PDB file of all heavy atoms in Angstrom:
ATOM      1  N   ARG A 330     163.949 165.711 -46.769  1.00 86.00           N
ATOM      2  CA  ARG A 330     164.804 164.490 -46.684  1.00 86.00           C
ATOM      3  C   ARG A 330     164.521 163.698 -45.424  1.00 86.00           C
ATOM      4  O   ARG A 330     164.399 162.510 -45.443  1.00 86.00           O
ATOM      5  CB  ARG A 330     166.264 164.923 -46.751  1.00 86.00           C
ATOM      6  CG  ARG A 330     167.250 163.803 -46.845  1.00 86.00           C
ATOM      7  CD  ARG A 330     168.632 164.283 -47.192  1.00 86.00           C
ATOM      8  NE  ARG A 330     169.150 165.276 -46.278  1.00 86.00           N
ATOM      9  CZ  ARG A 330     169.262 166.584 -46.525  1.00 86.00           C
ATOM     10  NH1 ARG A 330     168.854 167.075 -47.693  1.00 86.00           N
ATOM     11  NH2 ARG A 330     169.741 167.428 -45.625  1.00 86.00           N
ATOM     12  N   GLN A 331     164.349 164.421 -44.322  1.00 82.00           N
ATOM     13  CA  GLN A 331     164.062 163.751 -43.014  1.00 82.00           C
ATOM     14  C   GLN A 331     162.659 163.117 -43.037  1.00 82.00           C
ATOM     15  O   GLN A 331     162.432 162.101 -42.433  1.00 82.00           O
ATOM     16  CB  GLN A 331     164.197 164.735 -41.881  1.00 82.00           C
ATOM     17  CG  GLN A 331     165.640 165.178 -41.664  1.00 82.00           C
ATOM     18  CD  GLN A 331     165.743 166.375 -40.735  1.00 82.00           C
ATOM     19  OE1 GLN A 331     164.758 166.812 -40.124  1.00 82.00           O
ATOM     20  NE2 GLN A 331     166.973 166.911 -40.562  1.00 82.00           N
ATOM     21  N   SER A 332     161.726 163.771 -43.713  1.00 79.00           N
ATOM     22  CA  SER A 332     160.372 163.222 -43.774  1.00 79.00           C
ATOM     23  C   SER A 332     160.343 161.917 -44.515  1.00 79.00           C
ATOM     24  O   SER A 332     159.715 160.952 -44.091  1.00 79.00           O
ATOM     25  CB  SER A 332     159.434 164.266 -44.459  1.00 79.00           C
ATOM     26  OG  SER A 332     158.130 163.775 -44.555  1.00 79.00           O
ATOM     27  N   LYS A 333     161.079 161.887 -45.625  1.00 76.00           N
ATOM     28  CA  LYS A 333     161.145 160.629 -46.405  1.00 76.00           C
ATOM     29  C   LYS A 333     161.824 159.535 -45.590  1.00 76.00           C
ATOM     30  O   LYS A 333     161.465 158.408 -45.605  1.00 76.00           O
ATOM     31  CB  LYS A 333     161.866 160.885 -47.729  1.00 76.00           C
ATOM     32  CG  LYS A 333     161.061 161.710 -48.702  1.00 76.00           C
ATOM     33  CD  LYS A 333     161.823 161.860 -50.009  1.00 76.00           C
ATOM     34  CE  LYS A 333     160.967 162.683 -51.022  1.00 76.00           C
ATOM     35  NZ  LYS A 333     161.733 162.831 -52.328  1.00 76.00           N
ATOM     36  N   LEU A 334     162.937 159.935 -44.872  1.00 73.00           N
ATOM     37  CA  LEU A 334     163.663 158.938 -44.070  1.00 73.00           C
ATOM     38  C   LEU A 334     162.771 158.424 -42.952  1.00 73.00           C
ATOM     39  O   LEU A 334     162.792 157.226 -42.643  1.00 73.00           O
ATOM     40  CB  LEU A 334     164.914 159.600 -43.512  1.00 73.00           C
ATOM     41  CG  LEU A 334     165.842 158.681 -42.669  1.00 73.00           C
ATOM     42  CD1 LEU A 334     166.334 157.512 -43.489  1.00 73.00           C
ATOM     43  CD2 LEU A 334     167.032 159.505 -42.130  1.00 73.00           C
ATOM     44  N   ALA A 335     162.030 159.292 -42.325  1.00 68.00           N
ATOM     45  CA  ALA A 335     161.140 158.876 -41.224  1.00 68.00           C
ATOM     46  C   ALA A 335     160.079 157.900 -41.723  1.00 68.00           C
ATOM     47  O   ALA A 335     159.784 156.917 -41.049  1.00 68.00           O
ATOM     48  CB  ALA A 335     160.473 160.118 -40.572  1.00 68.00           C
ATOM     49  N   LYS A 336     159.527 158.192 -42.893  1.00 68.00           N
ATOM     50  CA  LYS A 336     158.516 157.252 -43.459  1.00 68.00           C
ATOM     51  C   LYS A 336     159.122 155.939 -43.796  1.00 68.00           C
ATOM     52  O   LYS A 336     158.509 154.890 -43.595  1.00 68.00           O
ATOM     53  CB  LYS A 336     157.877 157.935 -44.695  1.00 68.00           C
ATOM     54  CG  LYS A 336     156.995 159.102 -44.370  1.00 68.00           C
ATOM     55  CD  LYS A 336     156.423 159.742 -45.632  1.00 68.00           C
ATOM     56  CE  LYS A 336     155.566 160.942 -45.257  1.00 68.00           C
ATOM     57  NZ  LYS A 336     155.030 161.607 -46.486  1.00 68.00           N
ATOM     58  N   PHE A 337     160.362 155.955 -44.295  1.00 60.00           N
ATOM     59  CA  PHE A 337     161.053 154.729 -44.641  1.00 60.00           C
ATOM     60  C   PHE A 337     161.291 153.891 -43.380  1.00 60.00           C
ATOM     61  O   PHE A 337     161.078 152.669 -43.373  1.00 60.00           O
ATOM     62  CB  PHE A 337     162.350 155.021 -45.366  1.00 60.00           C
ATOM     63  CG  PHE A 337     163.228 153.776 -45.553  1.00 60.00           C
ATOM     64  CD1 PHE A 337     162.899 152.867 -46.516  1.00 60.00           C
ATOM     65  CD2 PHE A 337     164.328 153.577 -44.765  1.00 60.00           C
ATOM     66  CE1 PHE A 337     163.672 151.733 -46.710  1.00 60.00           C
ATOM     67  CE2 PHE A 337     165.149 152.445 -44.934  1.00 60.00           C
ATOM     68  CZ  PHE A 337     164.799 151.512 -45.915  1.00 60.00           C
ATOM     69  N   ARG A 338     161.771 154.536 -42.338  1.00 60.00           N
ATOM     70  CA  ARG A 338     162.055 153.842 -41.095  1.00 60.00           C
ATOM     71  C   ARG A 338     160.770 153.270 -40.446  1.00 60.00           C
ATOM     72  O   ARG A 338     160.744 152.205 -39.918  1.00 60.00           O
ATOM     73  CB  ARG A 338     162.745 154.750 -40.072  1.00 60.00           C
ATOM     74  CG  ARG A 338     164.202 155.038 -40.462  1.00 60.00           C
ATOM     75  CD  ARG A 338     164.821 156.026 -39.464  1.00 60.00           C
ATOM     76  NE  ARG A 338     166.225 156.229 -39.768  1.00 60.00           N
ATOM     77  CZ  ARG A 338     166.999 157.118 -39.109  1.00 60.00           C
ATOM     78  NH1 ARG A 338     166.463 157.860 -38.172  1.00 60.00           N
ATOM     79  NH2 ARG A 338     168.269 157.267 -39.473  1.00 60.00           N
ATOM     80  N   THR A 339     159.688 154.012 -40.567  1.00 58.00           N
ATOM     81  CA  THR A 339     158.410 153.566 -40.028  1.00 58.00           C
ATOM     82  C   THR A 339     157.950 152.347 -40.770  1.00 58.00           C
ATOM     83  O   THR A 339     157.391 151.381 -40.187  1.00 58.00           O
ATOM     84  CB  THR A 339     157.348 154.669 -40.168  1.00 58.00           C
ATOM     85  OG1 THR A 339     157.824 155.828 -39.473  1.00 58.00           O
ATOM     86  CG2 THR A 339     156.031 154.222 -39.611  1.00 58.00           C
ATOM     87  N   SER A 340     158.202 152.287 -42.081  1.00 57.00           N
ATOM     88  CA  SER A 340     157.746 151.164 -42.908  1.00 57.00           C
ATOM     89  C   SER A 340     158.598 149.929 -42.698  1.00 57.00           C
ATOM     90  O   SER A 340     158.231 148.833 -43.092  1.00 57.00           O
ATOM     91  CB  SER A 340     157.709 151.531 -44.392  1.00 57.00           C
ATOM     92  OG  SER A 340     159.037 151.769 -44.820  1.00 57.00           O
ATOM     93  N   THR A 341     159.776 150.072 -42.024  1.00 55.00           N
ATOM     94  CA  THR A 341     160.663 148.914 -41.846  1.00 55.00           C
ATOM     95  C   THR A 341     160.852 148.624 -40.360  1.00 55.00           C
ATOM     96  O   THR A 341     161.934 148.210 -39.933  1.00 55.00           O
ATOM     97  CB  THR A 341     162.040 149.224 -42.484  1.00 55.00           C
ATOM     98  OG1 THR A 341     162.589 150.404 -41.866  1.00 55.00           O
ATOM     99  CG2 THR A 341     161.945 149.378 -43.953  1.00 55.00           C
ATOM    100  N   ILE A 342     159.800 148.791 -39.598  1.00 48.00           N
ATOM    101  CA  ILE A 342     159.872 148.455 -38.137  1.00 48.00           C
ATOM    102  C   ILE A 342     160.191 146.943 -38.011  1.00 48.00           C
ATOM    103  O   ILE A 342     159.530 146.095 -38.629  1.00 48.00           O
ATOM    104  CB  ILE A 342     158.566 148.789 -37.423  1.00 48.00           C
ATOM    105  CG1 ILE A 342     158.399 150.309 -37.363  1.00 48.00           C
ATOM    106  CG2 ILE A 342     158.552 148.214 -36.047  1.00 48.00           C
ATOM    107  CD1 ILE A 342     157.080 150.718 -36.715  1.00 48.00           C
ATOM    108  N   GLY A 343     161.223 146.635 -37.221  1.00 47.00           N
ATOM    109  CA  GLY A 343     161.544 145.236 -37.039  1.00 47.00           C
ATOM    110  C   GLY A 343     162.597 144.767 -38.001  1.00 47.00           C
ATOM    111  O   GLY A 343     163.071 143.655 -37.893  1.00 47.00           O
ATOM    112  N   GLY A 344     163.012 145.620 -38.979  1.00 46.00           N
ATOM    113  CA  GLY A 344     163.985 145.252 -39.943  1.00 46.00           C
ATOM    114  C   GLY A 344     165.389 145.349 -39.391  1.00 46.00           C
ATOM    115  O   GLY A 344     165.625 145.742 -38.232  1.00 46.00           O
ATOM    116  N   GLU A 345     166.392 145.006 -40.188  1.00 47.00           N
ATOM    117  CA  GLU A 345     167.731 144.942 -39.707  1.00 47.00           C
ATOM    118  C   GLU A 345     168.292 146.357 -39.466  1.00 47.00           C
ATOM    119  O   GLU A 345     169.137 146.554 -38.602  1.00 47.00           O
ATOM    120  CB  GLU A 345     168.617 144.259 -40.724  1.00 47.00           C
ATOM    121  CG  GLU A 345     168.271 142.762 -40.862  1.00 47.00           C
ATOM    122  CD  GLU A 345     169.177 142.085 -41.866  1.00 47.00           C
ATOM    123  OE1 GLU A 345     170.038 142.778 -42.435  1.00 47.00           O
ATOM    124  OE2 GLU A 345     169.022 140.855 -42.094  1.00 47.00           O
ATOM    125  N   ASN A 346     167.855 147.329 -40.235  1.00 47.00           N
ATOM    126  CA  ASN A 346     168.407 148.699 -40.169  1.00 47.00           C
ATOM    127  C   ASN A 346     167.640 149.608 -39.231  1.00 47.00           C
ATOM    128  O   ASN A 346     167.922 150.812 -39.231  1.00 47.00           O
ATOM    129  CB  ASN A 346     168.467 149.291 -41.546  1.00 47.00           C
ATOM    130  CG  ASN A 346     169.343 148.486 -42.507  1.00 47.00           C
ATOM    131  OD1 ASN A 346     170.340 147.925 -42.050  1.00 47.00           O
ATOM    132  ND2 ASN A 346     168.960 148.412 -43.744  1.00 47.00           N
ATOM    133  N   SER A 347     166.706 149.079 -38.453  1.00 44.00           N
ATOM    134  CA  SER A 347     165.888 149.992 -37.633  1.00 44.00           C
ATOM    135  C   SER A 347     165.453 149.255 -36.356  1.00 44.00           C
ATOM    136  O   SER A 347     164.837 148.235 -36.434  1.00 44.00           O
ATOM    137  CB  SER A 347     164.679 150.476 -38.396  1.00 44.00           C
ATOM    138  OG  SER A 347     163.869 151.248 -37.544  1.00 44.00           O
ATOM    139  N   SER A 348     165.847 149.800 -35.224  1.00 45.00           N
ATOM    140  CA  SER A 348     165.355 149.293 -33.951  1.00 45.00           C
ATOM    141  C   SER A 348     163.936 149.703 -33.690  1.00 45.00           C
ATOM    142  O   SER A 348     163.470 150.673 -34.281  1.00 45.00           O
ATOM    143  CB  SER A 348     166.277 149.715 -32.790  1.00 45.00           C
ATOM    144  OG  SER A 348     166.071 151.105 -32.561  1.00 45.00           O
TER     145      SER A 348
END
Side-chain angles (χ1 to χ4, degrees):
R330 187 167 58 253
Q331 292 169 7
S332 179
K333 290 183 178 180
L334 182 61
K336 290 178 181 177
F337 171 75
R338 288 177 176 175
T339 302
S340 65
T341 57
I342 292 178
E345 295 181 358
N346 298 325
S347 176
S348 70

